[in-house]
């Protein structure tokens, strides 16, 4: 591990020299690329230098144990205790920093929420989930843009598709894909009985042009008249667009915009991200043959989380974590939950690395 860290430090120092070169600064594309690499390495190198300094301090304090001044020797002994207690955690953090990075972590993401089993209550819960993620995005400083919505007459959401933009969005939300189950008393329930319903969440990295090579001949576009809320254009112009990816059979429909051009652009964005997710799922399936992926596998076949309103608890079944702060979670307080999922994923990766 330490030889790898030393190599990274040398690469980091070499990058610093290159970035100070007028030749590199004059080539803005290269400069941006090197700046990004330098920024990624800085976190690892700074942690390694701090660890190395602590090791040096440890050796120096061990030498002071032989000092003729008893007070100085006692101070060194206390310093040694503190350093020896801190070093294992620092070594663990270094191992985490050296884990292979998910190349999708830096990306924005497409967030899709759909009502599942449970009728109107499921649609209301889908709306609650969208509000929860919207609040979290707002608190984190991200931007959320709705691409497509389908509402119910009771104020719920049959479906909502949005793009979330910001710093490392996918790295934080990628574990949210799956079936989210709610247990609560619906507003329409006169007997006070608890109902169980569900909504599905899919989080996909936003696809760039460089991620996919979609051939124009593989796409079919159909236009039709919008339906539902939408002003004067509804049922008067063919503004709605249906995009079909012929090889996979994936279909995306967009009708929120009055402009056919805008609906086409949104449809292509959603389709591209779904195709990228298909490729990611394929890769995850191949990896699962080598080791069991408990988190982040993209498998949405079973429930991942239960929101129990009568007990005020939220349970993530993948990591057996229960938090009794459901009100705060529904208001977007997701940090503790997401941190636990990230830590679990890192632990799994470290175990797999040790077994390899």
């Amino acid at each position: 591990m330490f030889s790898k860290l030393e190599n990274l430090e040398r690469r980091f120092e070499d990058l610093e020299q290159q970035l100070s070169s007028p030749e590199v600064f004059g080539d803005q594309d290269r400069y941006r690329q090197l700046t990004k690499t330098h920024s990624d390495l800085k976190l690892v190198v700074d942690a390694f230098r701090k660890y190395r300094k602590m090791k040096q301090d440890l050796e120096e304090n061990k030498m002071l144990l032989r000092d003729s001044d008893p007070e100085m020797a006692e101070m060194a002994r206390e310093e040694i205790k503190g350093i020896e207690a801190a070093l294992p955690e620092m070594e663990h953090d270094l191992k985490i920093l050296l884990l292979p990075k998910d190349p999708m972590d830096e990306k924005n993401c497409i967030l899709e929420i759909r009502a599942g089993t449970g009728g109107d209550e499921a649609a209301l819960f889908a709306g609650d989930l969208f509000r929860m993620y919207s609040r979290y995005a707002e608190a984190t400083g991200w931007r959320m843009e709705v691409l497509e919505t389908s509402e119910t007459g009771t104020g719920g959401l049959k479906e909502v598709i949005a793009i979330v933009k910001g710093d490392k969005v996918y790295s934080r939300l990628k574990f949210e894909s799956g079936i989210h189950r709610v247990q609560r008393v619906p507003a329409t329930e006169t007997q006070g009985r608890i109902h169980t319903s569900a909504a599905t969440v899919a989080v996909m990295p936003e696809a760039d042009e460089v991620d996919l090579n979609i051939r124009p001949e593989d796409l079919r576009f159909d236009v039709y008249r919008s339906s539902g809320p939408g002003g004067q254009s509804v049922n008067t112009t063919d503004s709605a667009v249906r995009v079909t990816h012929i090889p996979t059979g994936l279909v995306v429909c967009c009708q929120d915009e009055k402009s056919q051009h805008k609906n086409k652009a949104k449809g292509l964005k959603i389709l591209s991200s779904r195709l990228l997710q298909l490729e990611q799922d394929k890769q995850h399936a191949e990896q699962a043959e080598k080791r069991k992926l408990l988190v982040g596998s993209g498998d949405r076949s079973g429930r991942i989380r239960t929101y129990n309103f009568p007990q005020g608890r939220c349970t993530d079944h993948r990591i057996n974590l229960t938090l009794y702060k459901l009100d705060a979670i529904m208001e977007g307080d997701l940090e503790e939950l997401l941190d636990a999922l990230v830590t679990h994923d890192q632990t799994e990766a470290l175990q797999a690395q040790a077994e390899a």
Side-chain angles (χ1 to χ4, degrees):
M1 179 177 79
F2 294 108
S3 61
K4 184 175 182 179
L5 287 165
E6 288 167 354
N7 288 335
L8 290 176
E9 185 179 31
R10 284 192 290 269
R11 186 182 174 198
F12 178 77
E13 292 169 347
D14 180 59
L15 283 171
E16 288 189 321
Q17 291 183 355
Q18 291 186 56
L19 288 170
S20 64
S21 166
E23 179 184 350
V24 171
F25 188 76
D27 185 344
Q28 286 301 297
D29 288 339
R30 186 183 177 196
Y31 182 79
R32 279 193 295 270
Q33 183 180 8
L34 292 180
T35 301
K36 173 67 169 59
T37 306
H38 178 272
S39 176
D40 291 341
L41 285 176
K42 189 176 188 305
L43 189 63
V44 184
V45 172
D46 285 350
F48 177 48
R49 288 173 173 173
K50 183 179 179 181
Y51 174 84
R52 189 167 55 197
K53 178 65 167 58
M54 291 280 280
K55 292 284 285 186
Q56 292 172 352
D57 291 346
L58 179 62
E59 294 305 315
E60 291 171 2
N61 277 285
K62 284 182 177 179
M63 293 179 64
L64 288 174
L65 287 175
R66 298 192 293 269
D67 196 284
S68 56
D69 183 348
E71 187 175 338
M72 182 65 74
E74 182 59 29
M75 287 178 60
R77 191 172 289 106
E78 290 301 316
E79 282 290 320
I80 289 170
K81 287 181 182 178
I83 293 173
E84 288 181 338
L87 283 176
E89 183 176 351
M90 294 179 74
E91 288 182 9
H92 176 77
D93 291 343
L94 283 171
K95 290 177 182 178
I96 295 294
L97 289 170
L98 286 176
L99 285 173
K101 299 293 187 295
D102 184 341
M104 300 295 162
D105 277 353
E106 303 286 333
K107 291 183 177 291
N108 300 325
C109 76
I110 301 292
L111 172 68
E112 299 187 358
I113 303 174
R114 293 181 177 83
T117 56
D120 287 341
E121 175 62 16
L124 290 170
F125 179 52
D128 291 340
L129 288 177
F130 180 64
R131 181 175 177 273
M132 177 185 78
Y133 290 122
S134 298
R135 290 291 181 89
Y136 177 71
E138 182 182 356
T140 311
W142 296 342
R143 289 179 293 115
M144 183 177 283
E145 174 190 350
V146 176
L147 300 178
E148 182 77 4
T149 57
S150 177
E151 300 179 0
T152 65
T154 57
L157 290 174
K158 292 180 183 177
E159 175 186 69
V160 58
I161 303 174
I163 181 170
V164 189
K165 300 180 179 180
D167 183 38
K168 298 182 179 178
V169 171
Y170 185 67
S171 70
R172 296 296 288 169
L173 294 183
K174 63 183 179 181
F175 302 120
E176 292 303 287
S177 292
I179 297 174
H180 295 239
R181 185 178 68 168
V182 63
Q183 295 173 324
R184 62 184 176 187
V185 179
T188 56
E189 172 57 57
T190 57
Q191 302 297 321
R193 292 172 296 189
I194 296 174
H195 285 221
T196 298
S197 54
T200 61
V201 175
V203 177
M204 301 167 289
E206 182 187 18
D208 298 326
E209 289 185 9
V210 296
D211 295 326
L212 291 166
N213 180 23
I214 303 176
R215 301 184 304 170
E217 58 266 31
D218 288 340
L219 298 175
R220 184 177 70 245
F221 295 94
D222 299 304
V223 296
Y224 56 98
R225 292 183 180 180
S226 303
S227 61
Q232 294 180 348
S233 68
V234 175
N235 295 325
T236 61
T237 61
D238 292 333
S239 60
V241 176
R242 182 187 300 110
V243 188
T244 303
H245 184 248
I246 298 170
T248 61
L250 282 176
V251 178
V252 174
C253 300
C254 276
Q255 65 172 24
D256 277 14
E257 300 288 345
K258 295 181 181 179
S259 162
Q260 184 185 120
H261 177 74
K262 289 182 179 179
N263 280 326
K264 181 179 178 181
K266 283 187 174 183
L268 283 173
K269 181 179 288 292
I270 297 169
L271 178 67
S272 296
S273 292
R274 288 183 183 175
L275 287 172
L276 181 60
Q277 185 64 40
L278 276 179
E279 184 61 29
Q280 291 290 301
D281 288 346
K282 180 181 177 182
Q283 293 177 10
H284 284 141
E286 292 172 353
Q287 294 169 4
E289 294 178 1
K290 300 177 183 177
R291 70 178 178 93
K292 186 178 181 182
L293 295 182
L294 296 179
V295 178
S297 67
D299 180 12
R300 306 184 192 99
S301 60
R303 69 170 191 240
I304 63 167
R305 193 175 297 153
T306 295
Y307 303 75
N308 186 297
F309 278 78
Q311 298 179 15
R313 64 174 170 84
C314 179
T315 300
D316 195 289
H317 304 288
R318 296 164 295 179
I319 55 177
N320 295 319
L321 173 67
T322 296
L323 299 175
Y324 288 90
K325 47 183 282 187
L326 184 56
D327 289 344
I329 288 172
M330 298 309 296
E331 288 297 319
D333 183 5
L334 298 176
E335 285 298 316
E336 186 176 358
L337 196 55
L338 298 183
D339 284 345
L341 287 164
V342 170
T343 299
H344 182 80
D345 183 60
Q346 291 171 343
T347 302
E348 290 293 308
L350 286 173
Q351 289 178 353
Q353 194 175 71
E355 294 170 359

